[in-house]
Amino acid sequence: MKAFADLYYRLDATTSSNAKLAALRDYFLLASAADAAWAVYFLAGGRPRQLVPTKLLRALTLSASQLPEWLFEESYHAVGDLAETMALLLPDASHTSNQGLASWVENNLLPLRGLPPETLSQQLLPLLLQLDQRSQLVCIKLITGSFRVGVSRLLVTRALAAVAGIDAKRIAQRLVGYTDLAARPTAAHYLKLIAPVHEDGETLSEGQPYPFFLAHPLQLPTEQLAAILGGPEDWQVEWKWDGIRAQLVKRDGQLWLWSRGEELVTERFPELHGLLQHLPDGTVLDGELVVWKQGQVQPFALLQQRLGRKTLNSKILQNLPVVLLAYDLLEWQGQDWREQAQSVRRTQLEEIVLSCQQPQLQISPLISGASWQALDKQRAASSSLGVEGFMLKRKDAHYGIGRTKDVGVWWKWKIDPYTADAVLIYAQTGHGRRASLYTDYTFAVWDSPQDNPERKLLPFAKAYSGLTDAEMREVDAIIRKTTLEKFGPVRSVTPTMVFELGFEGIALSSRHKSGIAVRFPRMLRWRQDKPVAEADTLQSLQALLPQAASPASQEVDES
Amino acid sequence: MDLIIARPEGLYCPPGDFYIDPWRPVDRAVITHGHGDHARTGHQHYLATAAGAGILRKRLGEHINLQTLEYGESLQHHGVNISLHPAGHVLGSAQVRVEYQGEVWVASGDYKVEPDGTCTPFESVRCHTFITESTFGLPIYRWQAQQQIFADINQWWQSNAEQNRASVLFCYAFGKAQRVLSGLNQHIGPILVHGAVEPLNQIYRQAGIALPLTHYVSEIEDKAQISKSLVLAPPSAQGTPWMKRFGDYSDAFASGWMQLRGTRRRRGVDRGFILSDHADWPGLQTAIKATGAERVFVTHGQIHPMVRWLCEQGLDAQAFVTEYGEEAAEAETDFAAESALSPEPSANTSSANQPAAEIATTTATTATHPHLRQKARRT
């Protein structure tokens, strides 16, 4: 546990990738295979289900530190992180036992799940009191499932590659699905990750998918595209769908569906199970899961309603039917096709989808245009079609791994986001590096046009990102000066600040007071030039709603 | 009667007709210490400790009308007995004791209870009413002994020096920098200072505080030595072109705010050393208790939690509205005076043969460096 806590602090202490890489390498070289197995699991984003309810952790800290609850809350708001607050308030041991991470997790932490609250407190506190402050923090983060330390999966992959002395791409492939293990990561799993490569190559076991290849955002004016990308004839152009990226794996008479988070989601999409009979073994498709009705993609908000359900009844399946829009072929007849050219993969993919003849499997259509300007004109239709813009894939591109810096073969050419000028009305202190600064804001628009003297501000979106550190400090200072009321960590302020918000989608919602939900709202800029009275209205927001999302046809019954 | 009340100009003593650390110009001001939010320009008459006189003159001007008292020495003014007592915060820092008709009030300014070698240690003063700061007034703030922090700093420096990387330590130029200096192991390598730090070192040395030898980077002839050095610079130097001369350096920040991961990460430095010139939570509690006061006023920092906590402990606690160190924002505070100083003495006065002390005197007059503005960074 101590060694892993030390690794956490080394990783946390630096922003340099090389320093992080060195820290990871040092750890893996010294750790036992069993400990390393769990370390890879946590660092690559694996999260065991929460072992102890947060409420109980708070109660535990209160009784151990003998502080009143309100003072704990004040402390928590200053720190902005529950595990860190607890570690700062709990008494700590001056030195930590040498018990390894694997033993600590398997013998001490996992058995806590499901214990009755009283037994749990009795067992947990003595465990935590064996640890020094650093190890306490890391341990609590493992317990709450909030362990994050600014290490990308790619970096873990590179560190393992260096330790194992094999290609990072190979590690990436072996690592797919590692964090989804229903079984616990064991020494054997870890040794398999770093095992030498066999001459005869490796076949993926069972339903294992390939690492997803990701595109870079293209942020250039249209007239410069030809100079950077060459002519559009070298590129395969597709719509950029607003759904869930997924790989469909058919092997050994079985079907697996993986989301981009490498989560197995087969059970969530029963309508795709029929493809089992129609796809040959040794086939892996890459595509987008979307809700599809009347030949048109539906807003992401509707797909989200499906994801939120534990059980899918026939009404939902009927109202929100999902299809896979296939756009790439990664494996065919049991062969890895990722080194084939994009255009070759595409031709074969079209054949497969065509011969499959199932409505749940569709091909993502290609768009053609004589010039980038001509394509740009077609791209303008994106909003009305419910898509985010274009994907550009070089016709000779291989299917790479992750989002690598140097490869310019897959681009996302998105349309500009929707925008609205909104008024900051509530603020809350942030978490992590924004703790104690008011950085999380609620924004409102007017409920009616300016000619109504009675009009009110109606909250419609929360946003946290988009400001520079300097702007954040400035806004923080204004919030402190214009505070009207404090409700716990939240302050209401005199409306004085207007921000241009950008968002990716807009839909009707019966859950929001404004009747509108926006997707991925963020601050584009601070409109210091704009008086509050000139902020947008609910009416101007409603005008942005796509036709497909009109109330009559789309609002799904919340019952 | 209340011997000290909050007025728009600052804390005011009605029977004595004077202010303590006022933030607007007044006739008579008693100054607890030289930090910018306590010692301001424009008062007609200043009263401060003899130990703090050098700092005050340096910061507010040589010609201020300044009267000084030794620690413990007292003065009668309109029937009010005024004396100054060590606050252990920075060189010359004081608590102000005010006695009138048998009633005793103490205004503590900023204080730290752990003794350090660079200023007279905090002394508890018995009183009926105590006015306290609460910069770190939450139980999450508990400091380790400074020897432990110094050991960590020296270890960090040592390990950087072994890898030929300069160690840049950001800290406030007045107080913190000298305290860090006093704890450095000068056998590891040369100690370099920014132009905002050296004039204050000079004042400390004149006050008889032993500090290790410091240099400007321009004085280092063997450039290889730079990669073995520890560099003390004010936070405002972070991200300025001056930093470029240290190559691939490791950086750190020394402050009580480094206790929180969030603040440390916001600073964007490699290391955070938790070294504060303010009392931590246990320190505040001990100090308040030791005064024997039944009434407590809280001036700045975590005001509301401290007031509520003290009330729950059975004391009569209230808040004073002041303009001392804004809540939480203090982590970002720099002194304008320091930001305006050049990182190095100007070229025509700098010479490798000249002792550092002489060069330092020229620094204060150097014009504002155009690059000394902290850059806004995207998150």
Side-chain angles (χ1 to χ4, degrees):
Chain A
M1 192 66 205
K2 182 84 169 73
F4 188 62
D6 288 344
L7 170 66
Y8 177 88
Y9 271 81
R10 263 186 87 181
L11 294 171
D12 192 49
T14 179
T15 48
S16 140
S17 291
N18 283 335
K20 286 181 183 179
L21 201 58
L24 288 167
R25 224 171 29 214
D26 292 351
Y27 175 83
F28 287 129
L29 284 173
L30 286 176
S32 74
D35 288 349
W38 276 103
V40 171
Y41 176 82
F42 288 120
L43 291 166
R47 312 243 177 283
R49 273 185 300 128
Q50 185 161 33
L51 296 165
V52 180
T54 312
K55 216 169 112 188
L56 200 130
L57 289 172
R58 286 171 186 264
L60 199 76
T61 314
L62 287 181
S63 71
S65 62
Q66 298 187 313
L67 291 173
E69 193 177 351
W70 67 265
L71 193 51
F72 175 86
E73 291 301 325
E74 290 278 357
S75 300
Y76 171 60
H77 292 309
V79 177
D81 182 299
L82 181 65
E84 190 183 347
T85 313
M86 288 182 60
L88 289 171
L89 294 178
L90 285 172
D92 47 285
S94 46
H95 72 285
T96 297
S97 75
N98 285 329
Q99 196 178 357
L101 175 66
S103 161
W104 190 269
V105 172
E106 290 168 14
N107 300 330
N108 296 349
L109 299 185
L110 293 181
L112 296 173
R113 181 180 293 139
L115 288 183
E118 280 158 37
T119 331
L120 197 54
S121 315
Q122 279 168 12
Q123 289 196 17
L124 182 55
L125 191 57
L127 284 177
L128 290 176
L129 297 184
Q130 289 172 36
L131 301 173
D132 59 52
Q133 203 176 72
R134 291 174 165 203
S135 307
Q136 272 181 356
L137 178 127
V138 173
C139 179
I140 299 165
K141 284 193 169 287
L142 297 183
I143 292 175
T144 57
S146 62
F147 180 86
R148 270 195 347 205
V149 65
V151 169
S152 68
R153 206 182 170 90
L154 193 67
L155 208 63
V156 178
T157 311
R158 282 171 58 198
L160 288 173
V163 170
I166 57 178
D167 188 34
K169 288 200 282 283
R170 177 75 67 183
I171 299 278
Q173 201 162 321
R174 291 173 178 179
L175 204 54
V176 172
Y178 186 90
T179 50
D180 190 68
L181 284 180
R184 298 169 180 179
T186 61
H189 286 117
Y190 176 72
L191 293 173
K192 228 162 120 184
L193 279 182
I194 57 162
V197 181
H198 294 298
E199 285 301 311
D200 51 352
E202 267 168 62
T203 48
L204 293 182
S205 64
E206 301 181 332
Q208 230 195 349
Y210 294 91
F212 283 87
F213 187 34
L214 306 176
H216 286 274
L218 186 64
Q219 280 152 335
L220 288 171
T222 310
E223 56 275 15
Q224 286 177 27
L225 291 187
I228 306 289
L229 304 177
E233 64 280 0
D234 293 336
W235 294 82
Q236 180 176 307
V237 184
E238 306 159 15
W239 294 115
K240 184 179 185 318
W241 303 104
D242 185 12
I244 295 173
R245 180 90 181 269
Q247 267 181 56
L248 184 73
V249 178
K250 164 78 198 299
R251 292 189 195 115
D252 307 324
Q254 266 199 77
L255 200 69
W256 291 268
L257 192 63
W258 297 84
S259 74
R260 214 203 94 185
E262 286 168 16
E263 194 189 348
L264 196 53
V265 293
T266 324
E267 300 308 317
R268 301 276 186 86
F269 301 97
E271 51 264 81
L272 298 181
H273 296 179
L275 294 172
L276 183 66
Q277 280 81 45
H278 301 275
L279 288 170
D281 276 346
T283 307
V284 178
L285 308 180
D286 183 8
E288 197 96 356
L289 294 166
V290 297
V291 173
W292 190 266
K293 276 167 107 174
Q294 289 122 25
Q296 208 184 353
V297 66
Q298 303 300 308
F300 184 80
L302 296 187
L303 187 58
Q304 227 166 7
Q305 289 182 14
R306 259 192 72 152
L307 294 175
R309 307 270 164 169
K310 272 204 176 122
T311 52
L312 296 164
N313 57 32
S314 58
K315 188 175 162 199
I316 289 171
L317 289 176
Q318 201 184 340
N319 278 340
L320 304 169
V322 164
V323 304
L324 180 70
L325 296 167
Y327 41 66
D328 220 321
L329 177 66
L330 311 188
E331 183 176 309
W332 178 235
Q333 295 174 332
Q335 297 297 310
D336 183 348
W337 268 51
R338 293 177 298 162
E339 292 295 306
Q340 304 269 9
Q342 186 82 49
S343 56
V344 177
R345 301 201 305 273
R346 173 79 196 187
T347 311
Q348 187 60 50
L349 177 70
E350 286 174 2
E351 251 175 61
I352 295 168
V353 174
L354 198 65
S355 65
C356 192
Q357 286 208 326
Q358 292 299 305
Q360 300 81 14
L361 180 63
Q362 302 195 20
I363 188 106
S364 176
L366 296 185
I367 293 107
S368 56
S371 66
W372 293 115
Q373 281 75 10
L375 282 165
D376 197 17
K377 281 198 186 110
Q378 299 182 62
R379 196 173 65 113
S382 295
S383 305
S384 60
L385 292 171
V387 297
E388 297 181 324
F390 281 155
M391 289 297 302
L392 308 180
K393 300 172 179 174
R394 262 194 85 89
K395 286 183 178 166
D396 58 1
H398 299 163
Y399 191 92
I401 286 177
R403 197 181 334 259
T404 41
K405 269 186 190 148
D406 43 345
V407 193
V409 296
W410 272 30
W411 296 104
K412 43 186 174 187
W413 188 21
K414 291 169 80 162
I415 45 167
D416 294 334
Y418 295 95
T419 62
D421 291 329
V423 183
L424 193 160
I425 57 167
Y426 304 122
Q428 187 170 358
T429 49
H431 288 82
R433 66 191 292 272
R434 295 146 154 247
S436 313
L437 270 187
Y438 286 90
T439 57
D440 299 2
Y441 313 128
T442 302
F443 292 97
V445 288
W446 295 104
D447 63 358
S448 48
Q450 211 158 354
D451 49 19
N452 176 6
E454 303 277 282
R455 69 182 185 153
K456 291 193 180 66
L457 283 166
L458 200 58
F460 85 104
K462 283 186 172 188
Y464 325 94
S465 62
L467 296 186
T468 61
D469 281 2
E471 285 172 325
M472 223 160 17
R473 280 197 292 270
E474 211 178 321
V475 173
D476 174 81
I478 296 176
I479 286 165
R480 287 169 199 275
K481 281 188 197 128
T482 58
T483 299
L484 291 172
E485 276 183 284
K486 298 179 187 175
F487 322 89
V490 181
R491 291 180 178 208
S492 65
V493 297
T494 315
T496 56
M497 290 181 277
V498 178
F499 291 81
E500 183 179 327
L501 298 190
F503 42 95
E504 294 303 308
I506 178 164
L508 288 170
S509 161
S510 55
R511 290 189 184 181
H512 294 76
K513 206 171 165 188
S514 61
I516 271 180
V518 295
R519 185 149 180 248
F520 188 37
R522 70 270 185 191
M523 288 164 272
L524 297 180
R525 62 200 171 109
W526 184 2
R527 296 293 308 262
Q528 281 165 299
D529 56 317
K530 201 154 199 181
V532 170
E534 288 174 25
D536 273 308
T537 61
L538 186 60
Q539 292 70 34
S540 54
L541 279 185
Q542 281 164 344
L544 297 175
L545 285 167
Q547 294 303 311
S550 66
S553 67
Q554 289 308 321
E555 182 77 348
V556 171
D557 188 1
E558 290 287 337
S559 62
Chain B
M1 80 181 285
D2 283 358
L3 293 193
I4 296 171
I5 59 172
R7 276 201 175 175
E9 295 84 2
L11 299 183
Y12 178 67
C13 175
D17 188 26
F18 61 85
Y19 288 85
I20 299 170
D21 292 350
W23 44 86
R24 289 190 199 163
V26 300
D27 190 31
R28 288 182 176 275
V30 181
I31 303 298
T32 61
H33 66 286
H35 276 146
D37 52 339
H38 293 262
R40 299 180 196 242
T41 53
H43 309 310
Q44 295 304 311
H45 183 273
Y46 290 84
L47 177 69
T49 62
I55 300 282
L56 282 191
R57 290 202 187 277
K58 185 93 206 162
R59 302 202 131 196
L60 305 178
E62 293 296 328
H63 305 296
I64 55 167
N65 181 4
L66 174 64
Q67 183 181 354
T68 61
L69 286 178
E70 296 295 331
Y71 286 123
E73 186 188 351
S74 65
L75 171 99
Q76 290 282 335
H77 182 73
H78 295 330
V80 177
N81 186 292
I82 307 167
S83 56
L84 303 175
H85 305 268
H89 177 58
V90 289
L91 181 64
S93 67
Q95 309 175 70
V96 183
R97 182 184 184 276
V98 178
E99 183 179 354
Y100 183 67
Q101 295 176 352
E103 179 85 7
V104 179
W105 287 45
V106 170
S108 64
D110 289 336
Y111 64 93
K112 169 174 101 291
V113 290
E114 186 190 24
D116 73 73
T118 61
C119 62
T120 314
F122 178 85
E123 276 174 24
S124 179
V125 182
R126 301 282 296 179
C127 56
H128 299 101
T129 302
F130 186 56
I131 300 173
T132 185
E133 61 139 318
S134 184
T135 306
F136 293 105
L138 282 175
I140 47 176
Y141 297 109
R142 288 179 289 168
W143 311 145
Q144 286 184 293
Q146 68 170 5
Q147 284 317 317
Q148 180 59 50
I149 308 297
F150 289 148
D152 289 350
I153 293 175
N154 284 319
Q155 197 185 16
W156 167 72
W157 179 16
Q158 176 90 54
S159 107
N160 289 332
E162 280 163 11
Q163 297 167 53
N164 288 315
R165 290 179 82 194
S167 306
V168 177
L169 183 56
F170 297 109
C171 57
Y172 299 130
F174 169 31
K176 190 67 60 65
Q178 292 72 34
R179 193 169 157 209
V180 169
L181 273 174
S182 76
L184 290 179
N185 173 4
Q186 38 187 325
H187 302 297
I188 299 174
I191 301 171
L192 307 182
V193 288
H194 184 276
V197 176
E198 187 54 28
L200 292 151
N201 296 345
Q202 181 66 10
I203 293 172
Y204 270 68
R205 289 187 183 110
Q206 280 163 2
I209 311 291
L211 295 178
L213 192 62
T214 50
H215 308 272
Y216 285 116
V217 61
S218 53
E219 297 164 15
I220 301 293
E221 286 186 342
D222 174 9
K223 294 300 171 197
Q225 283 298 304
I226 292 180
S227 62
K228 304 273 185 203
S229 68
L230 184 128
V231 185
L232 282 179
S236 57
Q238 195 178 0
T240 60
W242 182 70
M243 302 306 310
K244 283 184 188 156
R245 66 197 69 205
F246 303 110
D248 173 33
Y249 58 85
S250 175
D251 57 2
F253 193 77
S255 160
W257 298 106
M258 295 298 108
Q259 173 84 339
L260 301 186
R261 235 180 113 225
T263 346
R264 185 173 59 64
R265 290 168 66 208
R266 207 150 60 215
R267 268 283 161 197
V269 290
D270 295 337
R271 282 292 293 269
F273 294 109
I274 306 161
L275 188 71
S276 179
D277 295 336
H278 295 267
D280 61 358
W281 172 261
L284 289 165
Q285 305 304 332
T286 322
I288 292 167
K289 204 166 182 186
T291 62
E294 285 172 3
R295 273 180 95 188
V296 178
F297 286 93
V298 183
T299 52
H300 60 292
Q302 296 286 349
I303 299 173
H304 300 290
M306 183 57 83
V307 168
R308 184 166 171 188
W309 170 261
L310 293 176
C311 287
E312 288 181 6
Q313 305 307 304
L315 296 176
D316 173 10
Q318 294 165 60
F320 263 156
V321 178
T322 70
E323 291 185 13
Y324 309 139
E326 278 251 289
E327 176 196 351
E330 191 155 328
E332 318 289 348
T333 308
D334 273 340
F335 303 111
E338 283 159 16
S339 312
L341 285 177
S342 166
E344 290 286 313
S346 54
N348 53 355
T349 58
S350 165
S351 138
N353 302 323
Q354 218 174 342
E358 279 184 43
I359 298 168
T361 56
T362 65
T363 337
T365 53
T366 314
T368 305
H369 198 290
H371 302 298
L372 270 182
R373 296 235 172 83
Q374 195 145 6
K375 280 183 195 160
R377 276 171 298 128
R378 280 261 162 208
T379 50

